[in-house]
Amino acid sequence: MPGVPLLPLLPPDSTPLVIAHRGASATAPENTMPAFEAAWASGCGWTEADVQPTSDNIPVMFHDDDLARTTNGSGAMRRQSAAQMLGLDAGSWFPTGSSRAYHGTPVPLLADVVAALDADRSLLLEIKAEHTREQVLAELGVIKDSGWDHRVFIESFDPQTLQHVRSVEPGRPVGLLVHALHDDPVGVCTELGAVAYNPEHVLLRQCPELVDELHRSGIAVLAWTADHPDDWAFLADLGVDGIITNVPGELMRWLGTSADCSRSA
C-alpha cells in the first residue's frame, strides 16, 4: 500500500530501531499519552502501543483483559463503553516519588495517539487479542482519518486479526508477533502477508540463525521486550531490525556509545 511504512530491512551493520514498549513505560504509565510523549521527547521515533475495542466499538489504548492492574476500575475491559473507559484513572497506580504524579491520567483513545503523530513520530500498533472484522475496520478507520496512516505499522499475535486487516486493506503490510517460534516462520509470514516477524527476544537465543533466514526472504525482525545491555548487545550482533524496550532513552544512549566505540576501534 503506497505511503504505509514497510519497515524495510536495515542495512547490514546499522543500529536497530529503538521502539518504546507501550511508550516509555519505565518512566510513565504504560499506554498513556505521558508515556508516548516521554518516548518521543527522548528522541525515540517509534513507540509501540496496544489497541482494543470498547463495548461500543471505540478503539482505546489498553493492554490487559481486565481493568484492575493499570486503572482504578475493575472488570473486563471490553465490557466498558468508551465513556466509562475515559472516566478511569490510568495513572495513579504508577510508582513514582509522588503518589499523585500521574493522578487522573486518562486511558487514551486511539484517535488521541494517531493525532499526536508527525513526520518524526511513528506508531507500532498491536491489535490486541482476537478481533472481529468490524472491530478491525473501526481501528483502521480511525488511523486513516488521522492523516497519519503512513506512520502506523500494525502487528498482532492473532493470525485471524491480521487476515481481517488484509481483507480490509489488501495491500497493507503487517507484522506477526510470536510467543513461540514456528517450524516455518518464512512460510507463515508469506501466508499472512507479514513483512515483519516479531518474537520475544529470548527466543532468538534458541535459534540465532533465524534472523538471517528471515532477512534472506525480505522479512524484518523486531524483538521484544529487552531492557538489559547484555540482551541489546546480543540482538544488535544478530542484526535485528528493531528492539522493543521499556527504557528507550537508555537503549538509545547505549547504541550511541556502542557505535562510537566501534568507530574508534
Side-chain angles (χ1 to χ4, degrees):
M1 171 174 290
V4 175
L6 293 175
L7 282 176
L9 299 182
L10 295 176
D13 301 321
S14 62
T15 58
L17 295 172
V18 176
I19 304 169
H21 183 235
R22 308 178 199 169
S25 54
T27 301
E30 65 180 61
N31 280 323
T32 65
M33 293 307 300
F36 303 140
E37 294 291 352
W40 290 321
S42 75
C44 180
W46 280 88
T47 189
E48 183 266 355
D50 305 286
V51 66
Q52 296 195 64
T54 60
S55 62
D56 45 352
N57 201 19
I58 303 298
V60 297
M61 314 311 294
F62 205 79
H63 177 273
D64 292 4
D65 297 333
D66 190 88
L67 299 173
R69 183 176 68 88
T70 59
T71 77
N72 61 340
S74 62
M77 176 261 144
R78 294 198 186 188
R79 293 183 180 175
Q80 315 302 312
S81 68
Q84 289 171 316
M85 290 298 294
L86 293 175
L88 295 173
D89 178 346
S92 291
W93 67 274
F94 189 77
T96 64
S98 166
S99 62
R100 300 186 64 81
Y102 293 104
H103 177 77
T105 300
V107 174
L109 300 172
L110 174 60
D112 298 329
V113 180
V114 291
L117 299 179
D118 60 27
D120 298 314
R121 297 176 173 184
S122 297
L123 180 64
L124 177 61
L125 183 65
E126 179 183 346
I127 298 182
K128 193 71 185 176
E130 294 181 2
H131 275 57
T132 66
R133 190 176 187 276
E134 289 70 27
Q135 290 166 338
V136 168
L137 187 63
E139 291 161 356
L140 292 176
V142 169
I143 295 167
K144 195 170 189 67
D145 289 347
S146 73
W148 294 107
D149 189 49
H150 59 295
R151 305 300 300 184
V152 180
F153 185 82
I154 289 172
E155 62 177 359
S156 182
F157 285 101
D158 183 49
Q160 182 63 60
T161 294
L162 295 179
Q163 289 170 353
H164 289 324
V165 172
R166 300 274 293 177
S167 75
V168 175
E169 297 185 19
R172 189 177 193 106
V174 295
L176 177 64
L177 283 158
V178 294
H179 288 294
L181 299 180
H182 294 83
D183 292 336
D184 181 11
V186 171
V188 171
C189 287
T190 301
E191 181 180 351
L192 291 171
V195 301
Y197 189 77
N198 304 342
E200 185 175 9
H201 73 93
V202 294
L203 298 176
L204 293 175
R205 292 189 180 273
Q206 304 170 16
C207 190
E209 66 276 10
L210 178 59
V211 174
D212 285 342
E213 178 186 339
L214 288 161
H215 283 175
R216 285 193 295 270
S217 295
I219 299 168
V221 180
L222 308 180
W224 56 273
T225 300
D227 292 339
H228 192 279
D230 289 347
D231 294 318
W232 299 339
F234 174 75
L235 295 169
D237 286 344
L238 281 187
V240 300
D241 302 281
I243 299 174
I244 299 169
T245 181
N246 295 307
V247 288
E250 292 180 25
L251 174 52
M252 290 175 65
R253 287 189 291 273
W254 182 89
L255 287 169
T257 301
S258 297
D260 289 343
C261 290
S262 296
R263 284 193 289 269
S264 61

